[in-house]
Amino acid sequence: MRSPIIKRIPEQDYIIKTQDISDVVGLHYKTVCRMAARGDFPAPVELSTRQKGWFASDVYRWLESRQVG
């Protein structure tokens, strides 16, 4: 199931999985991981030993902070 793509911070938080993060932010997954490691993107949460994801509220707050104007 793919995460819904929305334009504002969700009222009820959910996890955006690794396979969906590129669709949401418009950046390649590896770029997102590098940015998170540098502290330039919200840190992911570990869902299992092989899967991680991001809280949608953190991602959309980050997107809002990047808007110009």
Side-chain angles (χ1 to χ4, degrees), residues 2-59:
R2 297 189 71 82
S3 301
I5 297 174
I6 57 175
K7 303 292 183 192
R8 61 184 175 78
I9 298 171
E11 290 180 21
Q12 186 172 18
D13 215 355
Y14 60 94
I15 297 290
I16 300 172
K17 292 187 176 182
T18 55
Q19 62 265 30
D20 299 327
I21 195 69
S22 293
D23 293 335
V24 174
V25 298
L27 298 170
H28 191 275
Y29 167 71
K30 296 278 187 180
T31 301
V32 171
C33 289
R34 282 192 297 270
M35 289 175 70
R38 288 193 314 254
D40 296 332
F41 191 80
V45 292
E46 190 169 311
L47 303 173
S48 70
T49 56
R50 296 179 56 176
Q51 180 71 44
K52 56 184 160 183
W54 286 262
F55 285 109
S57 59
D58 293 341
V59 172

